[in-house]
């Protein structure tokens, strides 16, 4: 299994809330979400949630090849819930959550699951790149984040507007008309985007957290085909290095308004046989 992976926290000494891993014929990527350093109702934290859920999910999709990916995710969410429902307040509105990407090669097809705003990038044997992203979070965010983007990233005013934005966003989490993400409720898995692509048509699949896709979807300095070429050539580490370079040159978010000046960034590139 030819997999190359790189994952970096938002900055030195920061905890990485992304998680990615691969096993024979399967891979997952999760981007933890919550109020970093703030009250979440969970004594374990966001990184614990994403890594625990990711590890359980990878094991489940590998061991139970006949079980649909959404069912595997629901079972994994329930398993994580059972690990900390006695110690943590899982009804707390800002409890840890995570985006989920999962792929599995079985019976001549690549099955996939996408939940939240991480991106799966499929490359077919003709070199075409197709990005699959759950747009519901972005759609909700665009309606709410105007005041955030109007202020310099990192300023006290920006921090206050960002807190209000996150509070409003949390109120729309895992609700009709809002967006869906993995959290304490296994039913969120029912709302994931799922599908399958013939393996014979694919050259590779890449899993990317939103911190790694900024060159395309935030900065608009690259395209998906160019990103695919970079992943296939220089690899995930070079993609993330270029993201960091652009972030450093716009640390106050004046050219590219964003919630975080720097974000955890993870990229997994799997070349299919």
């Amino acid at each position: 299994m030819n997999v190359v992976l790189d994952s970096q926290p938002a900055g030195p000494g920061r905890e990485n809330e992304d998680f990615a891993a691969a096993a024979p014929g399967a891979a997952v990527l999760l981007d933890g979400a919550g109020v970093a350093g703030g009250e979440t109702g969970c004594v374990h934290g966001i990184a614990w949630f994403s890594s625990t859920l990711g590890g359980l999910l990878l094991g489940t999709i590998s061991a139970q090849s006949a079980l649909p990916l959404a069912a595997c995710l629901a079972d994994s969410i329930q398993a994580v819930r059972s690990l900390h429902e006695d110690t943590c307040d899982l009804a707390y509105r800002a409890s840890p959550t995570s985006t989920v990407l999962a792929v599995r090669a079985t019976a001549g097809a690549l099955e996939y699951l996408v939940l939240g705003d991480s991106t799966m990038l499929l490359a077919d044997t003709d070199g075409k790149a197709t990005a699959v992203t759950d747009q519901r979070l972005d759609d909700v965010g665009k309606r709410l984040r105007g005041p955030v983007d109007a202020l310099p990233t990192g300023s006290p005013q920006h921090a206050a507007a960002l807190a209000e934005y996150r509070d409003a966003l949390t109120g729309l989490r895992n609700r009709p008309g809002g967006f869906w993400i993995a959290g304490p409720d296994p039913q969120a898995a029912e709302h994931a985007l799922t599908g399958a692509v013939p393996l014979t048509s694919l050259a590779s699949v890449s899993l990317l957290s939103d911190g790694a896709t900024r060159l395309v979807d935030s900065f608009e300095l690259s395209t998906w085909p160019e990103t695919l070429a970079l992943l296939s050539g220089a690899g995930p580490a070079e993609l993330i290095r270029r993201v960091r370079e652009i972030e450093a040159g716009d640390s106050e978010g004046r050219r590219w308004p964003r919630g975080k000046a720097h974000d955890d960034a993870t990229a997994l590139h799997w070349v299919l046989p």
Side-chain angles (χ1 to χ4, degrees):
M1 186 173 178
N2 187 1
V3 172
V4 183
L5 164 66
D6 192 56
S7 184
Q8 299 180 17
R14 298 278 296 276
E15 189 171 35
N16 192 343
E17 295 168 353
D18 287 358
F19 174 84
V28 300
L29 182 147
L30 292 83
D31 181 355
V35 183
E39 180 58 49
T40 64
C42 176
V43 301
H44 303 93
I46 300 166
W48 175 88
F49 178 81
S50 58
S51 62
T52 303
L53 178 59
L56 287 169
L57 178 59
L58 183 61
T60 302
I61 66 177
S62 299
Q64 302 190 47
S65 59
L67 192 65
L69 293 180
C72 291
L73 177 57
D75 288 351
S76 299
I77 292 173
Q78 182 59 50
V80 175
R81 181 184 182 92
S82 69
L83 291 175
H84 70 145
E85 61 185 347
D86 293 335
T87 58
C88 304
D89 180 6
L90 302 189
Y92 192 77
R93 67 195 307 266
S95 60
T97 58
S98 179
T99 71
V100 181
L101 297 176
V103 290
R104 178 175 62 190
T106 56
L110 183 80
E111 303 171 78
Y112 67 81
L113 178 146
V114 179
L115 183 66
D117 62 346
S118 296
T119 297
M120 178 183 67
L121 187 60
L122 298 170
D124 67 22
T125 52
D126 294 327
K128 180 183 177 182
T130 301
V132 181
T133 307
D134 182 350
Q135 297 287 347
R136 289 170 291 189
L137 177 55
D138 287 343
D139 291 344
V140 170
K142 288 175 183 177
R143 302 201 308 260
L144 300 174
R145 61 176 300 121
V148 178
D149 291 343
L151 297 165
T153 301
S155 66
Q157 297 84 358
H158 181 270
L162 184 61
E164 291 183 7
Y165 164 73
R166 285 173 171 165
D167 186 63
L169 202 63
T170 298
L172 294 170
R173 185 182 71 189
N174 290 349
R175 295 185 180 182
F179 65 98
W180 301 89
I181 195 167
D185 187 355
Q187 292 186 353
E190 299 174 5
H191 299 272
L193 309 180
T194 59
V197 183
L199 280 172
T200 54
S201 70
L202 293 175
S204 68
V205 57
S206 301
L207 308 182
L208 307 166
S209 69
D210 65 347
T213 60
R214 284 184 163 186
L215 288 180
V216 178
D217 53 24
S218 295
F219 306 147
E220 298 182 344
L221 296 175
S222 184
T223 64
W224 291 122
E226 290 169 344
T227 298
L228 174 60
L230 182 59
L231 288 166
S232 301
E238 176 61 16
L239 171 64
I240 295 174
R241 188 198 68 77
R242 294 189 187 185
V243 171
R244 293 286 185 255
E245 183 177 53
I246 299 301
E247 289 173 338
D250 183 50
S251 59
E252 294 186 351
R254 295 186 181 277
R255 182 174 179 183
W256 294 289
R258 53 197 187 272
K260 303 175 184 177
H262 306 278
D263 197 4
D264 301 334
T266 301
L268 182 154
H269 182 64
W270 175 9
V271 178
L272 296 165

